[in-house]
């Protein structure tokens, strides 16, 4: 039985610029095909929770999505915090890096990677 979920049900989306940057990073770092992009949360940060975004291998409890051609791993328990979130890539003078637009966040920190629910 496959644990891959149709992208129509994927809890997060990526902008076009985020997709381009993720493919670029995967190529530059020569990430193996068995790795996917881990999207999740962890305790800590200024507001109580931090976003997790990085290439990793699939772990027990993960669901697998294919979003815009990117293999994405997310632990089932993290979906309630991230449902509807959009990941973007900013490459400007004021900010550079991935940004998170999360409709579930009650507040966010100035760092942009920490939030509370």
């Amino acid at each position: 039985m496959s644990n891959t979920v149709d992208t129509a049900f994927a809890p997060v989306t990526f902008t076009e610029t985020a997709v381009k940057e993720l493919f670029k990073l995967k190529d530059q770092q020569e990430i193996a095909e068995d790795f996917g992009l881990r999207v999740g949360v962890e305790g800590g940060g200024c507001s109580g929770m931090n976003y997790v975004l990085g290439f990793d291998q699939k772990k027990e409890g993960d669901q697998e999505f294919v979003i815009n051609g990117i293999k994405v791993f997310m632990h089932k328990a993290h979906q309630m915090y991230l449902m509807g979130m959009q990941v973007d890539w900013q490459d400007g003078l004021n900010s550079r890096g991935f940004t998170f637009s999360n409709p579930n966040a009650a507040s966010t920190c100035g760092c942009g990677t920490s939030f509370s629910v």
Side-chain angles (χ1 to χ4, degrees):
M1 180 171 142
S2 173
N3 200 19
T4 302
V5 179
D6 188 318
T7 55
F9 301 104
V12 299
T13 60
F14 301 104
T15 64
E16 186 178 331
T17 54
V19 170
K20 286 179 183 177
E21 186 64 21
L22 288 166
F23 278 121
K24 180 178 156 185
L25 288 171
K26 187 175 181 193
D27 287 342
Q28 286 177 342
Q29 297 177 14
E30 299 177 356
I31 304 293
E33 289 302 314
D34 61 330
F35 279 65
L37 181 69
R38 177 162 304 282
V39 180
V41 296
E42 64 185 6
C46 312
S47 297
M49 299 185 93
N50 280 325
Y51 294 110
V52 172
L53 186 70
F55 292 101
D56 196 4
Q57 291 182 308
K58 191 170 184 178
K59 298 177 182 172
E60 189 173 331
D62 282 347
Q63 281 195 300
E64 181 178 328
F65 305 91
V66 178
I67 306 170
N68 298 94
I70 300 169
K71 187 181 343 180
V72 176
F73 301 141
M74 181 183 294
H75 193 280
K76 293 176 186 178
H78 296 189
Q79 290 183 28
M80 67 182 193
Y81 300 110
L82 302 176
M83 187 62 71
M85 182 177 77
Q86 183 181 61
V87 179
D88 191 15
W89 170 257
Q90 299 291 315
D91 192 13
L93 294 174
N94 294 329
S95 66
R96 180 184 164 113
F98 289 101
T99 61
F100 307 91
S101 179
N102 187 348
N104 305 299
S107 65
T108 58
C109 184
C111 67
T113 61
S114 179
F115 71 103
S116 67
V117 287

